[in-house]
Amino acid sequence: MRELLTTIPETDVLVLLAPEELGGVILRLLNQRFPNPTDQFHWGNLSGELWPRSSPGPKYEANRETEVNASFVEAWSWLEANGLVVPTPRTGSDGWRMVSRRGRTLRSEKEFADFRGGSLVPKELLHPSIVDTVWVSLLRRDFSSAVFQAMRQVEIAVREASGFNEGDHGVPMIRRAFHKENGPLTDLNAQEGEREALSALFAGAVGSYKNPHSHRNVQMDDAVEAAEIVILASHLLRIVDARRSNSPAPASSSDRSDLS
């Protein structure tokens, strides 16, 4: 790919880049060279352009051709594995490719970094109650929505597991649920300091990351920070699941009437 020779002319730099780092550079160059959605290219032809035998200009070190080619192939494979470069609809496996619809949205370093940040969270790590909505929001780089959706689900899960009413919400409800002495989700077998710490953890997470998004427009443009908060929400949801399974079932209405 001839543009790569001027963008990254140093052989040492090229071979030291991780596949996703070099893949980001290649994708930006592809979008510049092939700006139309129907543009097609052959990856073999592009890799061959890395070694202009007779033309003037920058060249990679000839004795490191194997390293350079391996770096290019690894980066190209990463682009295909992430659906950023795809086979053309009709030619299939004969080497002709095109930039995907998602790939065409990643034209700047910032957009590519956001995509990588969103893809930092494998679906398997997310709690089932948030995987469908939150993971898609991360991939779409809608980080504010992803954080709000995740922490709102924490609030909902705590309320439902505690048996509270629909009108109960926010930090006060979280504090009641994990009250160190009589909270329905507190673990009385744990030490008092641990019970207080877990209450503070849940209240701090909901108060810091869910409540501000409920009351005003809060822009979040850091993909890594959003991914970290979503992972935290997933962890909190699993704690609620564990407390729910270990807690006795709430008394039915008939049981409560017998006790009155």
Side-chain angles (χ1 to χ4, degrees), residues 121 123 125-138 146-157 227 229-238:
V121 183
K123 292 178 71 173
L125 288 183
L126 294 181
H127 189 273
S129 65
I130 63 174
V131 64
D132 290 334
T133 55
V134 171
W135 193 70
V136 171
S137 292
L138 286 174
V147 167
F148 174 73
Q149 291 163 351
M151 284 299 171
R152 180 179 63 179
Q153 188 58 40
V154 171
E155 182 184 56
I156 292 171
I229 296 171
V230 166
I231 290 293
L232 171 60
S234 191
H235 175 63
L236 297 179
L237 286 165
R238 296 187 194 284

Side-chain angles (χ1 to χ4, degrees), residues 50-129:
L50 296 173
W51 305 100
R53 304 300 180 183
S54 57
S55 60
K59 293 182 176 62
Y60 293 122
E61 298 172 28
N63 62 340
R64 304 181 69 181
E65 183 172 351
T66 300
E67 291 179 80
V68 171
N69 288 343
S71 297
F72 183 82
V73 171
E74 290 172 4
W76 193 274
S77 298
W78 186 90
L79 289 172
E80 293 204 11
N82 284 273
L84 303 178
V85 171
V86 295
T88 54
R90 293 186 178 180
T91 54
S93 62
D94 62 358
W96 289 96
R97 299 290 187 266
M98 59 192 296
V99 178
S100 69
R101 290 175 297 169
R102 177 178 294 169
R104 292 199 173 277
T105 68
L106 311 179
R107 295 180 175 272
S108 69
E109 290 187 35
K110 173 67 166 56
E111 290 167 337
F112 187 77
D114 286 348
F115 169 79
R116 282 189 60 196
S119 62
L120 288 175
V121 183
K123 292 178 71 173
E124 296 77 13
L125 288 183
L126 294 181
H127 189 273
S129 65

Side-chain angles (χ1 to χ4, degrees), residues 81-257:
N82 284 273
L84 303 178
V85 171
V86 295
T88 54
R90 293 186 178 180
T91 54
S93 62
D94 62 358
W96 289 96
R97 299 290 187 266
M98 59 192 296
V99 178
S100 69
R101 290 175 297 169
R102 177 178 294 169
R104 292 199 173 277
T105 68
L106 311 179
R107 295 180 175 272
S108 69
E109 290 187 35
K110 173 67 166 56
E111 290 167 337
F112 187 77
D114 286 348
F115 169 79
R116 282 189 60 196
S119 62
L120 288 175
V121 183
K123 292 178 71 173
E124 296 77 13
L125 288 183
L126 294 181
H127 189 273
S129 65
I130 63 174
V131 64
D132 290 334
T133 55
V134 171
W135 193 70
V136 171
S137 292
L138 286 174
L139 290 184
R140 290 175 174 170
R141 305 195 297 280
D142 188 357
F143 304 127
S144 296
S145 291
V147 167
F148 174 73
Q149 291 163 351
M151 284 299 171
R152 180 179 63 179
Q153 188 58 40
V154 171
E155 182 184 56
I156 292 171
V158 169
R159 181 171 61 238
E160 292 179 347
S162 300
F164 294 155
N165 297 322
E166 286 290 330
D168 294 318
H169 59 84
V171 172
M173 182 271 293
I174 298 292
R175 290 291 193 184
R176 286 173 55 206
F178 287 94
H179 191 280
K180 67 179 182 179
E181 295 176 357
N182 53 21
L185 299 185
T186 197
D187 180 5
L188 293 176
N189 294 317
Q191 295 183 2
E192 180 178 349
E194 295 176 357
R195 284 177 268 152
E196 290 178 342
L198 192 62
S199 175
L201 175 62
F202 271 82
V206 171
S208 297
Y209 301 123
K210 183 265 177 182
N211 285 355
H213 292 266
S214 301
H215 304 145
R216 61 184 185 276
N217 290 326
V218 178
Q219 282 301 115
M220 175 170 290
D221 56 7
D222 189 321
V224 174
E225 182 183 10
E228 292 170 344
I229 296 171
V230 166
I231 290 293
L232 171 60
S234 191
H235 175 63
L236 297 179
L237 286 165
R238 296 187 194 284
I239 292 176
V240 174
D241 286 348
R243 294 302 166 88
R244 192 198 306 259
S245 62
N246 292 332
S247 299
S252 66
S253 57
S254 59
D255 292 335
R256 288 193 293 270
S257 63

